[in-house]
Amino acid sequence: MTAPLNGLKVLDLATLFAGPLAATLLGDFGADVIKIEHPARPDPCRGHGPAKNGVGLWWKLLGRNKRTMTLDLSKAGGRATLLRLAAASDVIVENFRPGTLEKWSLGWEELSAANPRLVLARVTAFGQFGPYAHRPGFGTLAEAMSGFAAITGEPGAPPTLPPFGLADSIAGLATAYAVMTALAARDRTGTGQVVDMAIIEPILTVLGPQPIWYDQLGHVQQRTGNRSQNNAPRNTYRTADGDWVAVSTSAQSVAERVMRLVGRPELIDEPWFATGADRARHADVLDAAVGEWIAGRTRAEVLKAFEGAEAAVAPVQDVRDVMTDPQYGALGTITTVPDDPDLGPLRMQNVLFRLSATPGEIRWAGRPHGADTEAILTELGLTGPEITELAAEGVL
């Protein structure tokens, strides 16, 4: 079965997370993604987090479905080679600071001259212009600037940053969407364009209506811990066997089912129970009722009872639980890459979504630094002596 992005060629010049994740998502559905790294300074993701036998495991995930080559873009031979690659490609993803590609004479003017149909996705912390554009930045700064940290954590406690690359991941998803949007426009117009993705923006979008609340009402959302300002009960609760479950009652009918289940149906008749916002203002009462009932039962008993009552609950799982969860198992969310040459079978997250007719797949996990350089350059039409000369010049 032909993958939906088969025939699409993507050059991944980015490092760390947001840009490379966008390229990974394209590769998962058939794009030929070529990961281009500096000969002496590979993507730092290769060294992030735990490793096995000296092989970075994060890279095995982020580098999947990518061929790898080395190229020093600051050298004349590297510039010329990239322009040749760009002429034969559909998309470039990069995350250098604004002006870096231009300094190497590889800006949009040169790239689009080499290939007018090219889409150039530029992923930076703050975007290509504005007072912060040239500052160094990472997803952590976006999590702080966007308002996410300000509303995360317990009331009166410090703002809380996520323990993973949240803003980068959201930006990676948004960049993949932006690239496909630009490619759809190219199909109509015949010409490519630049995608300017600032990591500080997509996370602000997913935070919801905070700006319009402030604009129209002067409302500033505060930290509420696991509670919500929009409904209650909504929290995590400890079970009799020491586990935790999460309960949500975004729908009025579900809130009523929960209170009947925990033996407090009289609360449904309270005037304040009729709306989510009013329930949230009485969260102490509702949390006490739900928490006491859950505390007297094991996690298995709680989950069974909630399912029987058609009330919304989920266990608070760590990765060990995720790997054996039957729903994730049914969906195939965790899949096995069977024959990685470095580590053998690898389990990791599957492709992001399922397509009924042209599904994506993981063809291989992240490959060694520069493993495909010679093959890619040969495909490009370079001869053996030309490749040897580039290597001698330190370009490869």
Side-chain angles (χ1 to χ4, degrees):
M1 211 173 286
T2 302
L5 299 184
N6 186 50
L8 190 75
K9 180 168 283 188
V10 178
L11 304 180
D12 176 8
L13 276 58
T15 57
L16 292 175
F17 308 115
L21 176 59
T24 301
L25 297 174
L26 300 175
D28 283 350
F29 286 89
D32 177 15
V33 179
I34 298 174
K35 174 74 174 181
I36 298 178
E37 300 171 88
H38 190 278
R41 298 187 299 275
D43 190 332
C45 176
R46 291 180 180 274
H48 266 59
K52 181 180 179 181
N53 300 334
V55 178
L57 298 177
W58 202 332
W59 167 251
K60 284 294 180 184
L61 173 67
L62 193 61
R64 73 189 192 190
N65 291 334
K66 299 179 183 181
R67 297 193 288 165
T68 63
M69 70 172 291
T70 57
L71 203 60
D72 186 342
L73 303 180
S74 68
K75 295 182 182 293
R79 174 187 182 276
T81 303
L82 184 70
L83 288 175
R84 289 183 65 169
L85 285 164
S89 299
D90 299 283
V91 179
I92 292 178
V93 182
E94 64 97 1
N95 70 338
F96 297 105
R97 283 200 218 179
T100 301
L101 284 183
E102 286 74 10
K103 178 180 67 176
W104 297 331
S105 297
L106 287 170
W108 177 239
E109 182 178 348
E110 292 84 3
L111 291 170
S112 61
N115 182 356
R117 291 175 55 80
L118 187 70
V119 170
L120 174 62
R122 315 195 76 167
V123 186
T124 57
F126 305 111
Q128 294 295 309
F129 57 90
Y132 303 164
H134 291 277
R135 293 181 181 179
F138 300 97
T140 296
L141 307 191
E143 290 145 12
M145 283 183 61
S146 63
F148 171 84
I151 64 169
T152 304
E154 294 295 328
T160 300
L161 296 167
F164 65 101
L166 176 63
D168 278 310
S169 298
I170 296 171
L173 293 166
T175 301
Y177 165 66
V179 165
M180 297 309 298
T181 302
L183 290 171
R186 188 188 71 175
D187 288 343
R188 294 196 305 273
T189 66
T191 58
Q193 59 184 299
V194 176
V195 172
D196 180 5
M197 179 62 67
I199 295 173
I200 60 173
E201 291 185 302
I203 188 172
L204 183 58
T205 296
V206 302
L207 283 172
Q210 288 190 52
I212 197 169
W213 282 346
Y214 179 75
D215 175 65
Q216 295 296 304
L217 301 171
H219 175 75
V220 179
Q221 187 173 344
Q222 302 298 308
R223 290 189 288 283
T224 57
N226 289 327
R227 289 179 172 178
S228 168
Q229 295 179 324
N230 304 310
N231 64 82
R234 191 264 197 182
N235 214 324
T236 57
Y237 306 91
R238 194 164 194 175
T239 63
D241 49 353
D243 286 320
W244 293 84
V245 296
V247 172
S248 176
T249 57
S250 295
Q252 180 70 22
S253 59
V254 174
E256 293 175 5
R257 291 173 200 155
V258 169
M259 301 322 298
R260 293 190 185 98
L261 174 63
V262 303
R264 297 295 303 275
E266 75 279 4
L267 293 176
I268 299 172
D269 297 326
E270 294 286 348
W272 48 261
F273 198 88
T275 69
D278 282 339
R279 293 200 312 275
R281 285 187 277 272
H282 293 79
D284 286 343
V285 173
L286 297 173
D287 273 346
V290 175
E292 181 179 354
W293 185 88
I294 289 176
R297 291 159 177 81
T298 66
R299 185 175 84 167
E301 291 169 338
V302 170
L303 297 178
K304 183 177 180 180
F306 266 73
E307 183 177 358
E310 297 186 358
V313 69
V316 176
Q317 301 189 145
D318 64 21
V319 68
R320 294 169 294 186
D321 302 310
V322 169
M323 299 296 269
T324 58
D325 182 277
Q327 182 61 32
Y328 281 132
L331 295 173
T333 308
I334 303 297
T335 191
T336 299
V337 181
D339 51 4
D340 180 74
D342 296 317
L343 300 173
L346 295 172
R347 287 191 293 170
M348 63 175 65
Q349 298 96 314
N350 208 338
V351 299
L352 191 60
F353 49 86
R354 288 163 293 282
L355 295 179
S356 61
T358 56
E361 65 172 334
I362 303 171
R363 301 182 298 281
W364 60 81
R367 289 175 54 71
H369 181 224
D372 304 294
T373 300
E374 185 173 351
I376 292 167
L377 294 179
T378 301
E379 290 173 11
L380 196 60
L382 273 71
T383 64
E386 288 175 318
I387 295 172
T388 300
E389 183 178 349
L390 287 175
E393 293 173 1
V395 173
L396 305 180

